[in-house]
Amino acid sequence: MTSEPAVLDSDFRYLDGKGNLLRTRTELAVAKMLSFLGHDYEYNHKVQAGGQDLAVDFKTDTGLIEVIDGDEDVEKYRALKKELGGSIMAIGRPKYHSRIGELQDVVFYDGDSPQGSIFIEDQSFTFDYAHVLPLVDKCSVLHGHTSSVMVELAGQMKDGMLVDFGKAKGIIKQAISSFDHKFFVHDKYAHEGSPGHYDVSFKGPRGEFHLTIPVDTAYLLPGEATVESLSSELIRLLEPELPPNIEAVGVYIYEGYNKGSHIVSRISGA
């Protein structure tokens, strides 16, 4: 498997309550604040400024909000401010103060704990498993895969470190061990059978299947046993074990060669 480049915080993505894919945690914070205050908003609102189409991060009933995350945002904000006047404000970090300090409607905030993200992949992050997908013709027959995993962690750094790689590796390896040599199946297809066994039955494109599976070899999921579901389940296992400064987790699970799933989730307690 080809090595991935380091995942920077600017490469990480966040989902708001509306399903918008936000670019930074600052945007996520603004979205959460607007929702908390009961203000509806439109993300990535398009406006005309200086003869060009520009995207403003947030449009509300009372005005526009632009998040300043880089020098290009400074120039965009200047163009928007010239066109729209007092109907737009911005929020950004102090390092941009020298660029836009003369504008009184920019809110600056301190960043004493810098944001950071890391990725971890290791030869030991692999697992073998069987699954069945009754809704997919080719995959409705019991079959298996060997999958490899890469995990992203993002949050607040302390003393230049997000989390010790050794500690993170141990947590990830322990979670993956729960997946190894298991039969994954949607829990709606499994029912209690003889002592210590599940009776698994379903009707698919290839006909009716009836299997008896030992409980300790099965892993029941709340949805179909897709690689996307496995990624989400791995995040669920990782979440309670991670240090409190970790605010988001991304999991790649490769199903065979050059294909797989990438799921990103914000830690619920963050």
Side-chain angles (χ1 to χ4, degrees), residues 2-62:
T2 339
S3 293
E4 297 271 348
V7 179
L8 304 175
D9 190 69
S10 58
D11 296 325
F12 218 76
R13 297 294 181 265
Y14 303 89
L15 286 173
D16 67 1
K18 296 185 170 191
N20 293 311
L21 198 59
L22 309 182
R23 288 176 288 272
T24 66
R25 289 188 303 128
T26 306
E27 291 186 358
L28 180 63
V30 172
K32 288 174 69 69
M33 179 182 66
L34 291 172
S35 296
F36 176 76
L37 295 174
H39 294 300
D40 193 21
Y41 63 87
E42 177 189 340
Y43 181 66
N44 253 4
H45 175 68
K46 301 296 189 299
V47 298
Q48 273 276 333
Q52 57 181 329
D53 287 325
L54 297 176
V56 181
D57 291 327
F58 297 94
K59 176 184 181 294
T60 71
D61 290 339
T62 54

Side-chain angles (χ1 to χ4, degrees), residues 6-213:
V7 179
L8 304 175
D9 190 69
S10 58
D11 296 325
F12 218 76
R13 297 294 181 265
Y14 303 89
L15 286 173
D16 67 1
K18 296 185 170 191
N20 293 311
L21 198 59
L22 309 182
R23 288 176 288 272
T24 66
R25 289 188 303 128
T26 306
E27 291 186 358
L28 180 63
V30 172
K32 288 174 69 69
M33 179 182 66
L34 291 172
S35 296
F36 176 76
L37 295 174
H39 294 300
D40 193 21
Y41 63 87
E42 177 189 340
Y43 181 66
N44 253 4
H45 175 68
K46 301 296 189 299
V47 298
Q48 273 276 333
Q52 57 181 329
D53 287 325
L54 297 176
V56 181
D57 291 327
F58 297 94
K59 176 184 181 294
T60 71
D61 290 339
T62 54
L64 305 172
I65 302 172
E66 177 67 19
V67 176
I68 307 295
D69 287 313
D71 290 337
E72 67 280 0
D73 290 331
V74 173
E75 299 309 318
K76 181 173 72 168
Y77 179 69
R78 285 183 177 278
L80 290 166
K81 178 65 178 175
K82 184 177 180 181
E83 188 81 17
L84 303 172
S87 63
I88 183 169
M89 68 164 290
I91 180 170
R93 290 184 175 275
K95 66 180 180 179
Y96 300 113
H97 189 279
S98 61
R99 297 289 307 278
I100 49 180
E102 73 278 10
L103 301 177
Q104 299 305 308
D105 48 4
V106 181
V107 178
F108 294 105
Y109 61 95
D110 293 327
D112 295 332
S113 299
Q115 307 169 9
S117 62
I118 62 173
F119 76 96
I120 308 172
E121 55 181 335
D122 189 87
Q123 289 183 347
S124 64
F125 293 175
T126 61
F127 62 99
D128 299 307
Y129 68 100
H131 72 156
V132 65
L133 301 174
L135 305 181
V136 181
D137 188 353
K138 183 179 179 181
C139 299
S140 63
V141 177
L142 182 64
H143 63 288
H145 299 278
T146 296
S147 285
S148 57
V149 176
M150 184 177 78
V151 174
E152 304 166 335
L153 301 174
Q156 296 289 329
M157 295 193 298
K158 184 178 181 181
D159 298 326
M161 178 184 293
L162 181 66
V163 62
D164 177 75
F165 277 108
K167 181 177 181 179
K169 180 180 174 182
I171 293 171
I172 296 166
K173 192 171 181 179
Q174 180 62 37
I176 292 173
S177 68
S178 303
F179 282 10
D180 195 34
H181 284 82
K182 292 294 175 66
F183 170 52
F184 289 92
V185 65
H186 194 322
D187 55 12
K188 73 178 182 179
Y189 304 127
H191 309 280
E192 288 189 14
S194 57
H197 291 78
Y198 290 123
D199 287 337
V200 178
S201 58
F202 57 88
K203 186 175 182 179
R206 306 290 186 93
E208 294 187 10
F209 288 76
H210 301 279
L211 307 168
T212 298
I213 307 293

